[in-house]
């Protein structure tokens, strides 16, 4: 009997160690995929801003020494700006609808294309905010994101109940932002940015815990394809948390040109 209990304990220990090792690999893939997406976004935003903005005088002056090129005028002042603005949002909904039909490699490719589209969409920040301010806010966001994600991963507290409340908050933010496109109210924009930081801070911790729990719930199934796509979806969720937190913090504290 004692020998049986010892064997049972050993088998359970081996299984726990294997799951823990798999979880670490899964989280590394999530953060790695997200990081590549962030690099693609940064590169796309920087490249587009380099083509859209110029220090050489043109008829389209937007700052003391900043001018729009023909591409900048097309992207930021014509109806194409609405396509550029809402394309990433449309792609998120498309990704959610297509994920079950995509292979893991296809899902990863779609995510990277989405990251490039997001870079084009936010390239305007280089025309509005100083380069130092953008870097400073990015580093602040990175520190906050890492702390919140670590807490979500390590906490023993079940925060799954936050999900519905936070998603409702995101929907409310989207509605308020669309309304403010027409109202152009600085006070409403300030409120949206402040609330947005809090919502996406909460989502960072919530999404991290959800990624961890989803893996633990399905690890025993051995469905490598599902786990691979789950890692990409997790990377997308954390990527969106980071980008939105960064953009709202930039609106609140960024130094404008």
């Amino acid at each position: 009997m004692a020998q049986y209990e010892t064997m049972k304990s050993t088998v359970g220990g081996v299984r726990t160690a294997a799951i823990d090792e798999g979880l670490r690999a899964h989280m590394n893939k999530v953060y790695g995929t997200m990081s590549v997406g962030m690099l693609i976004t940064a590169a796309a935003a920087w490249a587009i801003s380099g083509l859209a903005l110029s220090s050489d005088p043109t008829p389209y002056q937007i700052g003391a020494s900043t001018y729009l090129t023909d591409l900048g005028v097309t992207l930021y002042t014509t109806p194409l700006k609405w396509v550029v603005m809402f394309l990433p949002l449309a792609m998120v909904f498309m990704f959610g609808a297509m994920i079950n039909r995509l292979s893991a490699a296809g899902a990863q490719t779609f995510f990277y294309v989405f990251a490039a589209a997001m870079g084009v969409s936010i390239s305007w920040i280089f025309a509005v905010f100083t380069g130092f301010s953008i870097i400073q806010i990015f580093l602040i966001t990175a520190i906050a994101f890492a702390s919140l994600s670590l807490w979500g991963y390590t906490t023993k507290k079940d925060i799954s109940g936050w999900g519905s409340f936070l998603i409702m908050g995101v929907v409310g933010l989207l509605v308020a932002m669309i309304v403010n496109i027409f109202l152009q109210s600085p006070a409403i924009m300030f409120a949206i940015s402040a609330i947005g930081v809090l919502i996406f801070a909460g989502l960072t911790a919530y999404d991290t815990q959800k990624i961890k729990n989803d893996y633990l719930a399905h690890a025993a199934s051995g469905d490598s394809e599902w786990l691979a796509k789950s890692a990409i979806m997790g990377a997308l969720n954390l990527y969106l948390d980071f980008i939105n937190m960064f953009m709202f913090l930039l609106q609140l504290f960024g130094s404008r040109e």
Side-chain angles (χ1 to χ4, degrees):
M1 182 67 179
Q3 185 178 4
Y4 170 77
E5 291 297 337
T6 302
M7 186 185 305
K8 181 179 178 183
S9 175
T10 303
V11 172
V14 170
R15 180 182 178 186
T16 300
I19 290 177
D20 286 345
E21 182 179 351
L23 177 60
R24 285 193 295 271
H26 184 75
M27 296 304 297
N28 285 338
K29 181 171 183 179
V30 169
Y31 289 120
T33 303
M34 173 197 164
S35 298
V36 173
M38 293 295 302
L39 289 173
I40 292 172
T41 297
W46 181 82
I48 290 296
S49 68
L51 296 173
L53 306 173
S54 174
S55 57
D56 297 326
T58 72
Y60 314 107
Q61 186 171 6
I62 59 173
S65 59
T66 306
Y67 304 83
L68 289 179
T69 64
D70 290 339
L71 177 62
V73 172
T74 302
L75 286 177
Y76 304 140
T77 67
T78 70
L80 183 61
K81 68 182 180 182
W82 300 108
V83 176
V84 172
M85 183 185 303
F86 289 108
L87 178 61
L89 181 62
M91 291 183 72
V92 168
F93 288 116
M94 286 174 58
F95 194 45
M98 295 167 56
I99 187 65
N100 290 329
R101 298 193 298 272
L102 290 172
S103 65
Q108 185 164 308
T109 301
F110 191 100
F111 171 68
Y112 291 151
V113 172
F114 163 78
M118 180 64 80
V120 175
S121 180
I122 67 172
S123 62
W124 60 268
I125 65 176
F126 290 97
V128 176
F129 300 97
T130 64
F132 176 79
S133 178
I134 293 172
I135 294 173
Q136 185 180 47
I137 298 300
F138 181 87
L139 291 176
I140 291 171
T141 306
I143 294 170
F145 175 89
S147 301
L148 290 162
S149 190
L150 179 62
W151 182 82
Y153 183 82
T154 58
T155 183
K156 302 300 182 182
K157 180 179 180 181
D158 181 10
I159 58 175
S160 59
W162 293 11
S164 57
F165 173 77
L166 291 169
I167 295 302
M168 286 172 58
V170 171
V171 173
L173 279 180
L174 284 173
V175 172
M177 290 171 68
I178 292 171
V179 169
N180 203 45
I181 288 174
F182 303 100
L183 296 180
Q184 293 293 308
S185 168
I188 293 177
M189 192 63 240
F190 180 86
I192 289 172
S193 298
I195 296 171
V197 169
L198 296 176
I199 288 175
F200 284 99
L203 277 170
T204 298
Y206 167 80
D207 285 332
T208 303
Q209 187 179 85
K210 186 175 185 301
I211 293 167
K212 175 184 176 181
N213 290 341
D214 283 349
Y215 177 85
L216 293 175
H218 294 87
S221 68
D223 188 346
S224 58
E225 182 75 6
W226 186 94
L227 291 173
K229 289 195 285 186
S230 175
I232 296 165
M233 283 298 296
L236 173 65
N237 288 333
L238 291 180
Y239 169 94
L240 289 172
D241 296 338
F242 186 103
I243 286 289
N244 281 287
M245 192 157 48
F246 166 71
M247 294 299 293
F248 286 128
L249 283 171
L250 194 60
Q251 290 286 352
L252 285 173
F253 304 115
S255 299
R256 296 177 181 269
E257 294 279 9

